[in-house]
Amino acid sequence: MNLPEALYTAAQVRELDRMAIEEHRIPGAKLMQRAGAAAFDLLRTRWPRARRVAVLCGTGNNGGDGYVMARLARAAGLTVNVLSLGAAEKMQGDAAAARKQCKSAGVAIRNFQADLLAGHDVIVDALLGTGLEREVEGEWRAAIEAVNASRLTVLAMDVPSGLNADTGRVMGAAVRASATMSFIGLKAGLFTGAGREHAGEIFCNDLNVPPDIYARVPAQAQRLTEQSLYGLMPARRRDMHKGDAGHVLVIGGDRGMPGAARLAGAAAYRAGAGLVTLATHPEHAAHISAACPELIVHGVARPEALRPLLARADVIAAGPGLGQGEWGDALFGAALDTRLPMVVDADALNTLATDPLMHADWILTPHPGEAARMLGLSIEEVQADRFTAAREIVASYGGVCVLKGAGTLVASFNMERRASAASRAAFPVERRARAASRAALADGVVSVCDRGNPGMASGGMGDVLTGVIAGLRAQGLISPVAARLGVWLHAAAGDDVAAAGEIGMLASDLFPHIRSRLNRLVGHAGR
């Protein structure tokens, strides 16, 4: 199914729920009935041969949704067992009524015991939902661990129990679901960090709430989708030449690390750059030039030799194989003296972490370890709230942050008003492209990429991403757009490669798929 682009926090979805109930007079019990029915429909569609279902119910509204589903499953002829946790006598309102109706329908309700899970085809997780605010402990944690140990198919209702709906952090322990049905609005935490591992396949049902309520609750984040990217890259003029497509200068490749700079340069070409120059250690220049003749390779020993190359460049890609020695520090320092747009990666980020600077027009591409160094945090703290970490990097360093990892995030300030000043290439972003991406460029809105796969956990993938983004930026896309489009292209190309298997992927395997994906997006412009 096509998922919405908008992603919400748990509090935002509660507000949407409140508006539906209080302002549009939709009874909470009716929404609960719709939630249970939506989850049951998914179960029948996704696992049509399932006959024995265990529904784990807590004491809140998430548990109430579970009781509705259990009643519907029994009415459809399935063998259903409800395993409850928490003090049922303390249940209130719609959830209490749903439990009572379930029991009256003849559904067996028993206190949870791990050994009662055996023999079921599907487990339905309706334990905790989105209201979790502290670490999971005691019988709740034991139940989650038992579900995971069972290795049975699991359908999570709204969010896997134990997963923070806002951040994707595991709160001590979290259910590993095969699929998750999210209600009213998609929860942001399902799409990044541990959420990618725990949510399984994600579905959404808006429970038929009035569409107008969504306009009053701005989304926390936006999913990057192929449809939202159509038209961002203009079609090429018939009379254009290579100078019109922008000139990328890649700075990197210290002793022993020529491959990273070469990958970044080749990726910039595959993303459409007209010219790519490599400023690398003199030791590697001849070898790289012979291996990739399209690259204009210069052996640069000192910053003075870099300045003529900077004068001809439209965009700098700094960091791939740069190292943290005197050579790399000196060249990066020379790059920082310019006013050119920049994509900053790898060791250039580590240099920034020791000497923080602000720049209005650079794209920083840290992985969690680099982000931790930039923010003075641990990797665990960054991963615990990736949205906040990405925003903090933008607030501390300026520009755009691409926080890599499962569910890569792109955060930026609103740069649309600076587009004409930022674009140096011959064909700037067209008016329709700006309109299409306006929501994604708004202050505070983070874009989330739910493409990509574990096969991309191999050396050089980050260097390719740096080159792709730099190539797009050189063609006139403003930095927030270049970052978002580049992240999606890179991840989608990785998925194309993974169609033949995730194990054994090389970063260079992505090149033909980056090119084909980008050209398809251009081909859809204006449709």
Side-chain angles (χ1 to χ4, degrees):
M1 65 177 295
N2 292 325
L3 293 175
E5 293 180 14
L7 305 179
Y8 298 94
T9 65
Q12 288 175 318
V13 174
R14 283 194 289 272
E15 175 60 13
L16 292 169
D17 187 77
R18 184 201 65 77
M19 287 192 289
I21 294 171
E22 296 182 6
E23 299 179 18
H24 291 270
R25 307 301 183 192
I26 302 175
K30 181 171 287 189
L31 293 178
M32 189 170 287
Q33 173 69 26
R34 292 174 182 174
F40 178 60
D41 287 346
L42 176 60
L43 186 148
R44 294 304 299 270
T45 302
R46 188 74 168 73
W47 302 285
R49 296 183 180 181
R51 292 293 178 266
R52 294 179 55 82
V53 180
V55 185
L56 277 59
C57 294
T59 56
N61 283 341
N62 191 241
D65 297 339
Y67 282 113
V68 170
M69 181 182 178
R71 175 171 54 80
L72 294 174
R74 175 176 170 80
L78 276 62
T79 300
V80 183
N81 291 296
V82 170
L83 306 179
S84 69
L85 273 83
E89 65 275 7
K90 294 183 180 180
M91 294 180 69
Q92 300 176 347
D94 297 328
R99 177 186 168 93
K100 183 176 180 180
Q101 291 168 1
C102 183
K103 190 173 184 178
S104 298
V107 178
I109 302 176
R110 289 180 274 185
N111 292 332
F112 177 83
Q113 295 180 39
D115 58 357
L116 296 177
L117 296 174
H120 291 94
D121 300 314
V122 177
I123 296 172
V124 177
D125 166 27
L127 287 173
L128 295 171
T130 63
L132 185 65
E133 296 180 351
R134 61 179 184 274
E135 298 290 295
V136 179
E137 300 175 338
E139 64 175 348
W140 301 92
R141 179 164 186 154
I144 289 172
E145 291 174 345
V147 169
N148 291 340
S150 75
R151 299 187 178 274
L152 295 172
T153 297
V154 179
L155 170 59
M157 299 186 73
D158 215 13
V159 66
S161 292
L163 185 76
N164 188 295
D166 296 348
T167 66
R169 179 168 79 91
V170 171
M171 308 287 281
V175 165
R176 292 181 182 273
S178 310
T180 297
M181 171 61 82
S182 194
F183 302 125
I184 297 183
L186 288 170
K187 315 307 181 290
L190 297 174
F191 292 89
T192 195
R196 290 287 302 273
E197 174 68 15
H198 285 262
E201 188 175 2
I202 298 171
F203 299 84
C204 186
N205 190 295
D206 64 10
L207 307 187
N208 292 324
V209 298
D212 64 282
I213 67 175
Y214 292 98
R216 296 165 55 190
V217 181
Q220 155 84 348
Q222 295 280 344
R223 289 175 54 245
L224 289 173
T225 66
E226 185 172 12
Q227 291 72 22
S228 70
L229 300 172
Y230 289 154
L232 293 182
M233 175 61 72
R236 296 199 163 192
R237 301 192 319 267
R238 295 301 91 189
D239 62 345
M240 73 177 291
H241 57 79
K242 60 179 179 282
D244 293 336
H247 190 162
V248 175
L249 173 61
V250 178
I251 303 174
D254 198 357
R255 283 190 177 93
M257 295 183 286
R262 177 186 162 189
L263 282 169
Y269 269 132
R270 289 300 189 183
L275 289 167
V276 181
T277 295
L278 222 64
T280 191
H281 196 280
E283 185 177 295
H284 304 310
H287 171 72
I288 295 176
S289 184
C292 189
E294 297 88 350
L295 294 172
I296 306 166
V297 185
H298 290 262
V300 177
R302 297 180 305 278
E304 293 76 18
L306 184 64
R307 292 192 178 105
L309 307 182
L310 291 167
R312 295 194 291 270
D314 295 312
V315 176
I316 299 167
L322 187 68
Q324 294 181 269
E326 292 183 8
W327 179 83
D329 286 349
L331 265 59
F332 185 46
L336 291 173
D337 289 338
T338 74
R339 299 178 65 84
L340 290 172
M342 242 184 279
V343 183
V344 185
D345 187 28
D347 286 322
L349 293 172
N350 292 324
T351 298
L352 278 182
T354 62
D355 186 15
L357 297 170
M358 291 283 289
H359 192 296
D361 193 8
W362 60 14
I363 301 168
L364 310 175
T365 63
H367 58 55
E370 292 158 346
R373 288 188 284 276
M374 294 173 73
L375 294 173
L377 301 172
S378 68
I379 295 175
E380 291 73 20
E381 288 171 318
V382 168
Q383 291 294 82
D385 191 346
R386 288 168 53 82
F387 290 100
T388 295
R391 290 192 179 99
E392 284 297 317
I393 287 174
V394 173
S396 299
Y397 294 87
V400 181
C401 174
V402 174
L403 180 54
K404 296 182 289 195
T408 292
L409 307 180
V410 184
S412 66
F413 290 125
N414 190 342
M415 295 184 66
E416 192 173 48
R417 59 183 176 273
R418 299 199 293 270
S420 59
S423 297
R424 292 168 53 96
F427 51 98
V429 182
E430 296 179 357
R431 184 183 303 273
R432 68 175 184 272
R434 294 179 186 169
S437 61
R438 192 176 305 276
L441 300 179
D443 287 329
V445 176
V446 177
S447 294
V448 183
C449 182
D450 58 1
R451 301 295 299 266
N453 61 83
M456 299 174 74
S458 66
M461 287 290 178
D463 304 312
V464 170
L465 176 61
T466 294
V468 168
I469 294 173
L472 296 171
R473 181 69 183 87
Q475 294 170 80
L477 299 184
I478 60 174
S479 289
V481 175
R484 287 167 169 85
L485 179 55
V487 163
W488 186 89
L489 281 173
H490 180 260
D495 287 344
D496 291 340
V497 176
E502 293 178 349
I503 297 173
M505 288 172 57
L506 298 178
S508 57
D509 291 341
L510 273 61
F511 288 155
H513 301 282
I514 289 167
R515 181 184 174 217
S516 63
R517 284 278 183 178
L518 179 56
N519 279 283
R520 270 189 276 170
L521 290 175
V522 173
H524 277 82
R527 292 188 183 179

